Amino acid sequence: MTGLVDRVLDAFAALPREGFLPPGERSFAAFDEPLSIGHGQTNSQPRTVEDMLRLLDVSPGDTVLDVGSGSGWSTALLAHLTGPDGTVVGVELEPSLVRFGRRNLAATDQAWARIEQAEPGVLGWPQEAAYDRILVSAEAEAMPGDLVEQLASPGRMVVPVAGLMMLVERSATGRARLSSHGWYRFVPLRRRP
């Protein structure tokens, strides 16, 4: 890769994990393991985040949905990958994590990214669909059809389903192709009624 920029590693270097962790967890930022951010949620293992971002294959200018934005780290990384010509919408269910994530994201000065409070009973952020890319950082029991519906044609979604990391690739004609990419553990994907 001589002479080429690895965009994912560049995003990691620009946005260190430490700045997205509660004070008591910051000394563990370099550890390649999930870290607690409270409310039963975690800041995902860096190697897992890297794997997901590589599968997602975000391009500058993409419109991206980040489901389960948590501490805001994944939203910030996605914003770095889209650049200012893109748009990133993070959604989070837990109100205190929405506030925490918003503060962390604001510190990155990437005005084209934001975090919204997830609506009760709704997965994703359908009012601004369709998205070129969707990243889901929580494990679904089955493929979440409402998120597939929010995916553009063409588009890509990375979502852990029943332990398997799944890539959904939607063609320009709308046909979806699924592929699996190894076993991972995540907190469950939830929606409040």
Side-chain angles (χ1 to χ4, degrees):
M1 284 194 64
T2 306
L4 297 177
V5 173
D6 184 321
R7 297 181 65 244
V8 171
L9 291 183
D10 184 53
F12 272 74
L15 299 155
R17 183 187 195 198
E18 182 177 346
F20 296 85
L21 295 171
E25 297 290 328
R26 290 182 184 155
S27 61
F28 304 107
F31 292 14
D32 192 30
E33 60 187 45
L35 297 173
S36 174
I37 55 172
H39 307 281
Q41 304 300 308
T42 61
N43 178 280
S44 295
Q45 181 176 357
R47 184 172 30 130
T48 300
V49 175
E50 180 182 349
D51 290 348
M52 293 176 81
L53 292 177
R54 290 191 188 285
L55 280 174
L56 201 60
D57 192 25
V58 176
S59 296
D62 277 350
T63 299
V64 182
L65 175 64
D66 183 23
V67 179
S69 57
S71 69
W73 189 39
S74 56
T75 308
L77 291 167
L78 290 164
H80 186 85
L81 293 170
T82 69
D85 292 332
T87 303
V88 181
V89 179
V91 291
E92 173 57 48
L93 196 55
E94 176 56 49
S96 61
L97 289 180
V98 171
R99 292 188 296 274
F100 181 59
R102 283 177 176 167
R103 280 194 308 271
N104 294 336
L105 182 61
T108 72
D109 198 28
Q110 298 180 109
W112 56 96
R114 70 184 197 278
I115 295 173
E116 298 286 355
Q117 173 72 54
E119 295 181 14
V122 176
L123 277 181
W125 197 249
Q127 53 267 51
E128 292 182 36
Y131 300 95
D132 301 309
R133 301 290 186 267
I134 299 176
L135 179 69
V136 184
S137 297
E139 184 176 322
E141 293 178 5
M143 183 60 68
D146 15 3
L147 291 178
V148 175
E149 289 175 12
Q150 294 174 49
L151 190 58
S153 299
R156 292 168 77 94
M157 176 170 68
V158 174
V159 53
V161 178
L164 270 175
M165 188 66 69
M166 300 297 296
L167 171 63
V168 179
E169 297 174 276
R170 180 173 268 175
S171 70
T173 61
R175 170 171 262 148
R177 183 170 74 95
L178 306 178
S179 56
S180 62
H181 298 270
W183 296 94
Y184 293 81
R185 292 187 64 178
F186 281 85
V187 297
L189 181 63
R190 300 176 298 136
R191 61 171 118 195
R192 287 195 182 126

